[in-house]
Each structure stands twice: as C-alpha cells, then as structure tokens.
Amino acid sequence: LQLPAAWAARRTELFGQALATQQEVAWEEEVQHADGRREYLLCRYQPVMDGTSNVRMVISYGSDITERH
C-alpha cells in the first residue's frame, strides 16, 4: 500500500501538536485501495510523560472504523 506524500506531512504536523500540547491527538484517515475498496482509520498519538512533565515517548496507534462509514 502506497500512502500519499501529504499524509507524511500531516502526520508530522500532528505529532508536533501532540508534543507541544502534551495531549492526545486523534484524526481519521481514508485509505483507497487499488481494487477500489475504501477503508477508514481512526489514528492517535498519545504522549507518555515522565515524572517531571516531559514527554518520554509517544505511542501511535489506530483502529479500523470502516463499519462506521
């Protein structure tokens, strides 16, 4: 699956937002497959803080929400 280049820029922007706000960021993405199928994903960046309010890591995960559409 080849993802559009614009997705990388958007994901980078959203990752920066999660770091800056130290809050979870969620968004939806639509995937168009070569056979015409569409798939919808709910994606999230979840910052994990250390004991001094610094971002220790960011967990990235997603869920298939195609049935909702």
Side-chain angles (χ1 to χ4, degrees), residues 4-69:
W7 281 24
R10 181 164 186 240
R11 289 177 178 184
T12 298
E13 178 182 329
L14 293 168
F15 187 84
Q17 181 182 338
L19 289 176
T21 64
Q22 299 181 347
Q23 298 291 316
E24 178 183 78
V25 176
W27 71 98
E28 291 187 16
E29 292 180 343
E30 178 183 350
V31 179
Q32 175 74 44
H33 293 276
D35 63 4
R37 289 180 302 119
R38 291 185 187 270
E39 186 175 51
Y40 297 87
L41 306 172
L42 175 60
C43 306
R44 300 176 187 270
Y45 287 138
Q46 177 66 57
V48 177
M49 311 307 288
D50 67 12
T52 60
S53 297
N54 293 311
V55 177
R56 181 169 179 225
M57 69 178 88
V58 176
I59 299 171
S60 175
Y61 58 99
S63 301
D64 183 344
I65 59 168
T66 303
E67 290 185 10
R68 293 186 195 175
H69 286 265

